[in-house]
Amino acid sequence: MSCKPGEPCHEGVKRRRALAVLGLMGIIFLALSGVSFINSRGQVVPSKVTYAGFDAVRGKRVFQSYNCMGCHTVVGNGAYFGPDLTKLYAGVGPAWLEAFLPSAGAWPTSGAVKLQLQDKAIAAEAGVDTIEAYLEKYPAAAERINRRGGKSTHMPNLPFSRDDVHELVAFLKYTSEMNTEGWPPVPKVDGLTFAQATPMPVAAQQAALSPAEGAGPAAATPISASAHGAELAEENGCTACHAKDRQRLVGPGWGGLYGSTVKLADGSSVVADDAYLTEKILKPDAKVVAGFEAGVMPSFAEILDADQIKDVVAYIRSLGGN
């Protein structure tokens, strides 16, 4: 609007004031943007986090591709069908996650976690190499094993490759290192703060699983080889991947397996006899079954002795076959 003749014109002043305000807002925006990227915020970024040589960025892509946030939350974002995963790695550690993710339909047992610690890379990430030290360091893993180890979960067995598992663990390691600014909040009601549940100490867990003193000769009643093999399969997490019937889980079902002809990935076939099953337990990648991936099943060479392997094979034989 132009100024009328004889009246003072304030249009230029108003314009300069408007430009000054816009300039000030721009300076404030740039300053806040710069502060959000300085290292003093202490916020970790996924590109800086790796696990056993695997990248958290790739793990984030795996997490997204399987729509994990359709059931879980990270820093409260996602769905609430499953627990928040933000600090899961810090609580349960890498060996528990390595045991759980490939066969998520069942909760890991102490034997399954112990098996993962045979991998030097996983033990190095955990900072311990024995199951006793691991459960002391990661009490959330001890609590989960004690309360529900070997039981079924509500999760499906997802077709994760071995690399997928490593990358997911890398991503969960990253989320555990995030500065969540106090998330999750501690619930309060009328000024009362509810303490978090304290997991049972490892020593108490072992005492609970040990035979009671003075139990008498009845506690040492011998059991059959197949029954002992069933116990070993349960304790070492075998049943999380192999069903008692012919159902395919992570691995083939054991029902009717003994004595059957197994087709291998290289096109050949082999009879599932004692020798084949023993080799499969000791060297799982020596003969990969058609339709299954190598590198998923770990070796039990350092976990089970020769007699225990015979008992597991006896158990598989007892489930029927040709």
Side-chain angles (χ1 to χ4, degrees), residues 219-274:
T221 302
I223 60 175
S224 67
S226 60
H228 186 223
E231 291 181 357
L232 290 169
E234 183 75 25
E235 291 170 4
N236 289 281
C238 305
T239 53
C241 295
H242 300 280
K244 298 178 182 179
D245 54 21
R246 297 175 186 268
Q247 179 186 3
R248 171 175 176 158
L249 298 179
V250 179
W254 282 351
L257 174 61
Y258 189 87
S260 65
T261 300
V262 178
K263 293 183 179 180
L264 303 179
D266 63 4
S268 64
S269 298
V270 64
V271 175
D273 55 12
D274 288 38

Side-chain angles (χ1 to χ4, degrees), residues 63-129:
F63 188 83
Q64 293 170 334
S65 67
Y66 281 92
N67 191 29
C68 299
M69 292 185 78
C71 291
H72 297 279
T73 56
V74 173
V75 199
N77 296 310
Y80 286 84
F81 295 106
D84 185 90
L85 302 180
T86 311
K87 298 296 183 181
L88 181 63
Y89 179 96
V92 300
W96 188 92
L97 287 168
E98 289 274 7
F100 175 69
L101 289 172
S103 54
W107 295 108
T109 61
S110 60
V113 177
K114 180 180 179 181
L115 179 64
Q116 297 301 325
L117 289 173
Q118 302 301 309
D119 187 317
K120 293 182 179 179
I122 297 174
E125 288 283 348
V128 294
D129 57 5

Side-chain angles (χ1 to χ4, degrees), residues 12-82:
V13 175
K14 292 179 180 178
R15 186 173 298 163
R16 285 193 296 272
R17 287 177 179 173
L19 291 174
V21 170
L22 287 174
L24 179 61
M25 292 176 64
I27 292 171
I28 293 173
F29 172 78
L30 291 173
L32 291 176
S33 298
V35 169
S36 68
F37 288 101
I38 61 176
N39 293 332
S40 62
R41 291 187 71 233
Q43 189 59 276
V44 68
V45 292
S47 61
K48 300 296 184 181
V49 179
T50 60
Y51 164 79
F54 289 83
D55 190 350
V57 174
R58 293 180 63 86
K60 183 179 180 181
R61 292 171 185 160
V62 176
F63 188 83
Q64 293 170 334
S65 67
Y66 281 92
N67 191 29
C68 299
M69 292 185 78
C71 291
H72 297 279
T73 56
V74 173
V75 199
N77 296 310
Y80 286 84
F81 295 106

Side-chain angles (χ1 to χ4, degrees), residues 104-160:
W107 295 108
T109 61
S110 60
V113 177
K114 180 180 179 181
L115 179 64
Q116 297 301 325
L117 289 173
Q118 302 301 309
D119 187 317
K120 293 182 179 179
I122 297 174
E125 288 283 348
V128 294
D129 57 5
T130 67
I131 185 63
E132 294 79 14
Y134 186 89
L135 297 180
E136 289 286 357
K137 184 173 182 178
Y138 298 100
E143 185 272 338
R144 283 167 169 79
I145 291 170
N146 180 64
R147 181 160 56 93
R148 53 194 178 191
K151 297 180 181 178
S152 298
T153 75
H154 294 294
M155 273 191 66
N157 284 319
L158 298 172
F160 293 136

